[in-house]
């Protein structure tokens, strides 16, 4: 497999994708590994591939129709059901911290869900269990995707690659 779960589980790692489909593949593998509660911050310019990666993660989390996964530009938060609840937030239009309070982020963060936030760089704080995906456009269809866990030691949200579906890393 191109994007091995071992590599995806490291505290940080960089991946190159050469097409949107490859970014979806990467997201799908990642989505298979993660468990709620988890915040995924997706950072990068417009057109970098944040929504594309989000689609893949949603598919890996069990959302059957990837076309359901689109940037929630007007409602700000979309909700999908996979093997867990998934929230998809897009902060493109967010300008102030006051707005952040008004979109109901706090409520969804209390839920046992995977919360994916596009324009994650606009969030002025960080959660203990979160995964940061920084996407840069290398030109053409090439993208660099840097994944890092904010708290690799304490995360209890990702399965060990060898543990298959039942056992989770936890403490
Ligand atoms: P964002 O949400 O960051 O604004 P999108 O995921 O909506 O970006 O759009 C990314 C665009 O770039 C899509 O049109 C997609 O087809 C294209 N693209 C080309 N190569 C890649 C790649 N390697 N990974 C992701 N998207 C890519
Ligand atoms: Mg987007």
């Amino acid at each position: 497999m191109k994007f091995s779960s071992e590599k995806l589980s490291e505290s940080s790692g960089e991946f190159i994708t050469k097409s949107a489909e490859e970014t979806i593949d990467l997201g799908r593998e990642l989505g298979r590994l993660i468990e709620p509660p988890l915040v995924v911050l997706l950072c990068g310019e417009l057109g970098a591939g944040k929504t594309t990666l989000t689609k893949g993660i949603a598919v890996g989390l069990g959302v059957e129709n990837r076309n359901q996964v689109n940037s929630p530009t007007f409602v700000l938060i979309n909700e999908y059901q996979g093997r867990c609840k998934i929230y998809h937030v897009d902060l493109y239009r967010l300008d102030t911290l006051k707005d952040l309070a008004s979109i109901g982020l706090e409520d969804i963060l209390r839920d046992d869900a995977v919360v994916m936030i596009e324009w994650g760089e606009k969030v002025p704080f960080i959660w203990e269990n979160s995964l940061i995906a920084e996407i840069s456009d290398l030109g053409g269809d090439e993208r660099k995707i840097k994944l890092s866990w904010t708290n690799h030691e304490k995360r209890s949200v990702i399965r060990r690659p060898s543990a298959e579906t039942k056992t989770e890393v936890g403490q």
Side-chain angles (χ1 to χ4, degrees):
M1 193 178 298
K2 192 172 160 67
F3 305 112
S4 74
S5 46
E6 280 83 358
K7 178 110 197 278
L8 289 168
S9 309
E10 284 170 11
S11 60
S12 76
E14 284 188 358
F15 302 84
I16 303 284
T17 65
K18 296 194 158 90
S19 66
E21 210 49 50
E22 265 190 39
T23 296
I24 290 182
D25 287 347
L26 172 74
R28 190 191 303 115
E29 293 310 316
L30 199 52
R32 285 182 181 150
L33 290 168
I34 58 180
E35 288 294 333
L38 177 69
V39 175
V40 183
L41 294 176
L42 299 119
C43 308
E45 298 295 314
L46 194 66
K50 300 180 292 298
T51 303
T52 306
L53 186 63
T54 301
K55 274 181 204 279
I57 294 173
V59 170
L61 282 167
V63 172
E64 277 168 26
N65 180 9
R66 64 153 91 157
N67 297 325
Q68 210 192 328
V69 181
N70 287 305
S71 269
T73 309
F74 296 106
V75 289
L76 285 175
I77 301 178
N78 281 350
E79 189 181 328
Y80 320 114
Q81 187 65 46
R83 65 178 151 79
C84 66
K85 202 182 271 183
I86 302 159
Y87 292 105
H88 180 190
V89 184
D90 190 316
L91 299 181
Y92 182 52
R93 284 158 192 272
L94 184 94
D95 290 323
T96 64
L97 191 59
K98 197 160 157 267
D99 285 349
L100 193 64
S102 69
I103 64 170
L105 204 54
E106 284 172 37
D107 289 335
I108 65 170
L109 287 167
R110 265 184 241 116
D111 219 339
D112 190 31
V114 171
V115 180
M116 297 193 271
I117 305 179
E118 292 194 44
W119 295 97
E121 53 271 79
K122 292 190 179 205
V123 182
F125 42 84
I126 215 103
W127 291 273
E128 189 170 49
N129 274 335
S130 54
L131 172 62
I132 301 175
E134 293 165 80
I135 312 177
S136 7
D137 191 336
L138 300 183
D141 288 345
E142 208 164 287
R143 303 288 190 274
K144 184 175 79 182
I145 301 174
K146 181 172 183 232
L147 300 177
S148 36
W149 294 88
T150 55
N151 194 342
H152 191 251
E153 294 306 310
K154 288 186 88 175
R155 76 200 156 96
S156 56
V157 290
I158 189 162
R159 295 174 187 140
R160 283 197 195 284
S162 57
E164 286 304 329
T165 51
K166 291 203 177 64
T167 324
E168 286 163 29
V169 181
Q171 67 274 142

